[in-house]
Amino acid sequence: MFSWWDELLSSIEAGIKAGIESGLRSIADTLAPLLQVPEPAAPFQRVALFRPGIDHPISGAGLKTEGAAWRIESHWPQTVPLFEMPEAHLWLEVPSAQAGDQLLLCRALVKTAALTEGAQLFLSRAQTFGWTFSRTVSLEGDRDWHICEVPFHLKPEPQTPGFIKIGVEFMGRGVIWLRDIELLHAPAKLTPITDVMDGLL
C-alpha cells in the first residue's frame, strides 16, 4: 500500500548518501597534495653514500657483505637498522636544511629473493623525545637488481634535532641485497594553502 512512499524514502536516502560520498571524495582529492610528499624545488644533491667495505651498517644479525652488496637474510618478522645520521650533521652538510621544508630521498639498488610475506625499505626521522615518523617502499618476491627510492618530507621542527635513519623491515622470511645506498636532499616545493582552500570552496 505504501510502496511508493518507501521507494521515495529509499531514493532520497540514496541521493543523500551519493552526495556525501561525492563531497568526501572531493575533499580527499583536494587535501591529497598536503598529505603526500611534495615535489622538489631543485635537483636532489647527495648528502651521503654508503658502500660495503667502506661503511659499516648498524645491525650485524643476518647481514653480511657479498661482493659489492650487503646481503640480509631473515627467518622471521624483524626490523634491521642499517644507517643513521644526526639531523645536526645534515644541517652541517646542507645549511639550508634548517630553512623551511625540505625533502630527503633514500635511493638504493635492491635485489630480493623468497620474500613471500614482503618487506620494506624505510627512511625515518626519529626524535629524541621518542616518536618516529617513517616513509617506506615495499619489497616483494623475487626481483633482480632495481632502483628503489623512498622520499621523505622533512618539516622544520622547533624541538631538539633527532636522527635520520635508513633500514629494512621484514614481514617474514626472505633475502634482500642492497648496494649504493644514497641519502639525497632538495628543498621542497609546497602547494600554497590558499590554493588548497580555493579547491574546497
Side-chain angles (χ1 to χ4, degrees), residues 77-140:
Q78 63 170 320
T79 298
V80 181
L82 296 174
F83 300 100
E84 68 176 38
M85 174 188 294
E87 201 169 332
H89 179 72
L90 173 65
W91 294 350
L92 291 175
E93 292 288 327
V94 188
S96 62
Q98 297 184 71
D101 292 58
Q102 309 293 318
L103 292 180
L104 293 179
L105 182 72
C106 175
R107 178 186 294 153
L109 279 169
V110 181
K111 184 171 75 168
T112 62
L115 284 177
T116 55
E117 297 175 76
Q120 295 177 331
L121 175 66
F122 69 80
L123 176 61
S124 68
R125 180 195 214 177
Q127 280 286 354
T128 53
F129 298 108
W131 60 266
T132 299
F133 183 74
S134 297
R135 298 284 299 190
T136 64
V137 63
S138 296
L139 308 174
E140 299 177 344

Side-chain angles (χ1 to χ4, degrees), residues 11-25:
S11 176
I12 293 173
E13 290 175 357
I16 292 174
K17 182 180 179 181
I20 292 175
E21 291 177 348
S22 176
L24 290 176
R25 282 196 299 269

